[in-house]
Structures are given as C-alpha cells and as structure tokens.
Amino acid sequence: MKRSKFILVVLALLVGLNLQSQEQGFQFQNGKTSDKIHFQLINNLIVIPVVINGMPLSFILDSGVTKPILFDNLNGLEVLNLEKKETIFLKGLGEGLLVQAAKSTQNKIEVGNAIKYQQTIFAIFNGSMDYAPKLGVPIHGIIGYDIFKDFIVDINYRAKHIKLTKPQSKNKKPCRKCEKIPLEFHNSKPYITAEVSIDNKQIPIKMLLDTGASDALWLFEDASQDIVSTDNYFDDFLGYGLSGELYGKRSKVEALIINSFVLNESLVAFPFGESIETLKKIKDRNGTIGAEILKRFHVTFNYQESYMILKKNANFNNQFSYNKSGIDIEQRGVRLIKNYYYQINNGRLTYGGTTDVTKFITNSDSRSDYRLNVAPAFEIVNLRPNSPAQLIGLQMGDIILEVNGADVKKYSLQEVVQLFKGKDGKKMTIKVERNGKPFLYKFQLKNLLN
C-alpha cells in the first residue's frame, strides 16, 4: 500500500491538435539556451516551481498528461484568465462519473527562465485531486507535454534537478554507458517497447513512460499475451484517478528488461475495473513504466527526435520495497503538542536540551513550563484487510503519535511511510490518538510477496 498509488493518475484529456497549434511554445528569456531547475523528489515524483499569471505554485512534472492541469483546492479560478474560460467535463481513471473542469486559454506560465504566453490550462473541480494530504506538501497542479515538446529535458534524479535545453543548441557529446531508446507517441504521450519476464516467459510489451506515476510498473492483464498475474499477489487499493478509486493486484515480475538494462524482481500492479478498459484501447498498449523505475536512471527526453537516453545511476540496484504494515496515511491538518522549556538530562535541569540552568531554577513544577506548538497530523485513512495493522486493532481515523518510540513530529509524511517498508518480521510499536485518548499497538511487518 504505497503512498505512491495516489499519483497513478492518467488524465485522458481530449485536447485536439488544433488547440496546440494555436499556442506559441516556451521561450527562454535574456537569450539563454538552457536552464537548470531544482526540484523536490517526493514519493518518486518531480515537484517543480511554476508561476501562472504571476502566482508562484508547485506542479508535478508528468509525462503522462497533455495539458497543464490546475487543482481547484487553491481557488484555481482566481489564478486563471477568466475572460477566456469555458466549462467542460472530463473522464479519467476511476469508477466515478464525469468530472467538471474549466478550460482557460491565454494564460502566462513560467518554468524557471522559460516563459510561455497563451497557455491553455484546465482547472479541475474535484476534491480527491488535492495532493497535499497525500504527499505532505502543497501541490497545485501537473504539467507535462508543453515542457517536453519544446525542450530536451534532462532529469537528474540523484542531484534533484532538471535541465531544459533548446533542441538546436544541444551539444551531443558521446555518453559512456548510455543507451538510446526510440520513442513512439500516442495522444502526445511517450511509449517504448520493453520486455517483461513472468513465469519464466520473456514477453514483449509496449509501455507508456509516466514520470507522474510513482509506482514501478503497471501491467494490463491479457491472457492471449501471457501477461497475467501469478499466484504471488494480494488485492490492494491502488489509489485515486480523475474519476474515482482504483483497485488491483499487487505482485512482482521476475524482471523488466529495457534494452540491455535488467531490473530484477520489480514490483508491479495489475489494475482492474471498467476505467482500465479505456486505456487498453490504445493500440497495443500493455501498461505503464513509472517513476520507481525511471528514478534508477539519469533520463534524457528528446521528443523532437523521438528518443530517450538512459544511464544507470546509484539507485539502479536498490531493492524494490513496499508498505508491509497495511497502513495508509495522509497528512490531515495539525495537532497541538507541548514543548517543555526544561528537561532532565543526566540529573541536571537543561533548557533547550543543552544549556544547564539547574542553579537558576527554584522548586517550581517544570511541567507547567511549556509552550504549545503545532505538528502535522498523520491520520490513518485506509487499512488493508487482514493486514498486520488491521488485525491488531488499528482503525481508520487514528492519528499516529509515535512509531517505535519516536515522536512523528520529527518526520515528514514520506519519512513515516518509509518506516513501514522494513524487512519481513520487523517489530513495530505504534502509538495513536483516538477520540482524544492514546492507544499503543504492537505488530510485525509481513511480506505478502514471496
């Protein structure tokens, strides 16, 4: 139950080519030919600074979307050009209904030193698309094709920066240990041909490359091609799509092969439901390669010449891991905590944990010497049936206070989730607050994939 599931969103916007042809592309200011932009890497997702009509925002860089999408959790319509707006309805992944959206044209958008005018942006009126609780940081939207089509995009996952370069100015130096892979495009989205090994069979697959999908691999089951889950799987909640919740099987494949690169025992999800049938209609598509795979490479996208370049980085041999507790958490609001001014340290009274103030303190009760602060409230929002956490008695709505004796106020949301990805059998002690009262639970992590 990885938190990454929530970003496995494919927004199937029906944006015509005529709309794209009416827009000018991104241009660098001040005569520059390239720009380096630092990003946050959160749950494998690239979060970059974007400015729309003068307002600084945070967007996910997502190769799986065609037009920028603004989430209306920040009064998105106040950001957009309202003089050029119309209401439309979209259908995407999930089991829900059509979603209302606003289509706004002639917006000014800036990404680093690059600027574009007359940008079309969609604002979605759907509370489930609020990524802040799911990632623990404000996320205002997603952007993809408009950046990739105008620049050569180098993604350095280790150094956490992207480099945008004008295609005509790219210095094509030879790269040792790099591999060039052809790209094929459908609806302005990039696809590659790879292979997957399942049950000792090596199967060719056509895969969408999606930097906005946190998981490693999605495969659409197709018995005619031997793309089927083995018995080594468990049913899981995969996350949210534009139109609702997504479910499927979680498993692993023997290997994913991209050119000469072999990634052994990759995690995989086999989604099911009516919404997945729409994706299967894309000719010969077998699934998605997500950022859990891509972050193991230095990646260069060149849409203009229809290829990508991969070079292994230090993440390549990292073991694939997932949440073995069954706990799914979100950051929902804040909780009040007491920070005491004075603490006992080896028999001495200290202030701030370091300064010895014993001789200045009278017999007053130090328990009254505190101040109230706020810390993120990490709430359990889902529990996998028959998981260790559910069987021991944890409940949805519980607020996590401590994990293995450590106050979670010290951690980000992603750091807390990472604690649940330990080895099979690791002992966990979880302290939660429920209806204003503390409860303590102990269990062991359980690996469901042999």
Side-chain angles (χ1 to χ4, degrees), residues 138-166:
I139 301 293
H140 305 111
I142 50 181
I143 187 170
Y145 179 71
D146 289 277
I147 292 177
F148 287 103
K149 76 178 177 63
D150 289 337
F151 301 109
I152 296 173
V153 181
D154 288 295
I155 303 176
N156 189 326
Y157 279 98
R158 294 288 295 178
K160 296 183 177 65
H161 66 70
I162 62 172
K163 185 177 181 181
L164 308 180
T165 306
K166 284 186 176 180

Side-chain angles (χ1 to χ4, degrees), residues 10 191 206 208 220 279-280 282-288:
V10 179
Y191 291 77
K206 180 177 178 179
L208 171 70
F220 306 144
L279 299 182
K280 290 182 179 180
I282 297 174
K283 185 178 179 181
D284 301 326
R285 178 181 174 183
N286 300 117
T288 298

